[in-house]
Amino acid sequence: MAQRLEQTQAAVQTQQLASLQVAVAKLVELPVTELAARVRDEMVDNAALEEKDGEDYPTHDEADNTDNNDNNEENDKDAEANEANAYEESEDYGREADAMGDYFSADDVPDYLQQRADEERDRKEMQYSGQTSFYEDLQQQISEHNLTEHEQEVMEYVIGSLDEDGFLRKDLDALADELAIYHNINTDRHELERLLGILQQFEPRGIGARSLQECLHIQLTDPERRTPYTKLALEVVDRCFKDFVGRHWDVVKQRLGMDDDTFAHVRHLLVHLNPRPGSALNDSTAPSAPTVVPDFYVRVDDEGRVEVGMNNGDVPELRVSQAFRDSIKQYGGNKTKLSREQRDAYTYARQKVDSALSFINLLTRRKETLMSVMRAIVDKQHAFFVNDDDENDLVPLTLKEIAEMARVDISTVSRVTNSKYVQTMYGTYPLKFFFSSQFTTSDGDELSARKVKAALRELIDGEDKRHPLSDEALAAKLKEAGYNVARRTVAKYRDMLGLPTARLRKE
């Protein structure tokens, strides 16, 4: 069949985001801490942007009016941006902020007032627990043992090869090869075995184990853990490890011929061992936790009204440089009589001012978008905020509902809630906390998935631990309570709550 070229025409509908939408979207997804850095970078790139000070500058300039009125739209945006970004005293500073406002500049504020304001702001920054590396702590313990310089180098490399749980997952021959190839340190498996035995004497016990079984064995051989039941516990780990991990207690008791009282003491000893010794050391060596700075503040006044505020953090208030405005005014009156250098100077100033006005407008759009989304969340979850952050008052909520209320795209709501936090009078929450799926009860009422989880936990907490409820039984009991939840949904929520299966809950 002969081939031929044909040209056809078809109408295809496509959707493209305007550059303004893209720019706003990028700013919307930034939390307040990252926004401050973004604004500083823009100030470095654009000399027409500068931080506001205590003086009042006009938002309109005669230069813009003499420039054939071709930039009235930009001037209006500038006025709106300056008005929206006008200085507002933060409620979180309270009386200290009001007192500080009586002074002409920050340099005139007395130290005691500044200190009070700083302390008030620090109390608003909620800390979340974090972990630091435990390797440095282990390296300090090397000095407690009489090791040669060569052995110390090998030991440090072994410590650096431990994972976060404190286990050594690498093969010793592979470690010897890595030391020889990358560090020019000659060693062998025999020396590594000997040094690893020394490492396993470090605190916490269990560090340097190559398996969970070895980790538990090391802990049980600790002289400080010696009890009348330690020997039997070692037998459980060495001889019945699979049954122990699977919590087949009846099998373990039968194989080792223990009576109920003895087995109860042995079991108590075993379940209090640490299967992740590295994590315990991580927790003890965390001198400081990363700080989460809230993007919003929500408070309830004495009359029950919910007030929403936005944290501006270290984001500076911006304005267009007066020097650039003067340049436009100087050269914009009669552009036909300008020299080439003057025209270039005018063009440069005009471009920088337009870019500065555009960026200020973007910041205004960002603030309006974030506030509209946050207010929509507060309106939907009003009962939660007015009832002292009671989770039982949270209603089912989706991104689509908030998008419709805030009159923005659902992708914008997703960006806003992705990495933002809100601080209430009782705690700090990620915005995603307020969203959850819903179920319909037997009476036709909509129910938050969070309530189903609470009911599931209550059932498991109150069950007979000698005969724990299976997932099917839990689903049946939830259905009796009016929650139409499938068995697989029960299993998913049980895993999310960190609760084991019925067989592992059995005592």
Side-chain angles (χ1 to χ4, degrees), residues 407-427:
R407 296 183 180 181
V408 296
D409 190 80
I410 189 172
S411 62
T412 301
V413 179
S414 177
R415 289 187 175 93
V416 172
T417 59
N418 186 40
S419 57
K420 308 291 190 306
Y421 292 82
V422 57
Q423 181 176 312
T424 70
M425 300 171 68
Y426 298 93

Side-chain angles (χ1 to χ4, degrees), residues 268-289:
H268 179 271
L269 181 61
L270 289 170
V271 297
H272 284 79
L273 298 176
N274 185 4
R276 300 176 60 227
S279 62
L281 191 55
N282 273 329
D283 293 337
S284 65
T285 58
S288 60

Side-chain angles (χ1 to χ4, degrees), residues 214-247:
E214 184 180 17
C215 175
L216 302 180
H217 182 94
I218 293 171
Q219 294 180 52
L220 288 171
T221 56
D222 185 358
E224 297 182 1
R225 197 183 289 270
R226 188 171 300 163
T227 70
Y229 306 98
T230 302
K231 184 177 180 180
L232 287 173
L234 274 169
E235 290 190 38
V236 174
V237 172
D238 295 340
R239 295 173 51 191
C240 310
F241 183 71
K242 289 185 178 180
D243 293 324
F244 161 66
V245 173
R247 297 201 174 192

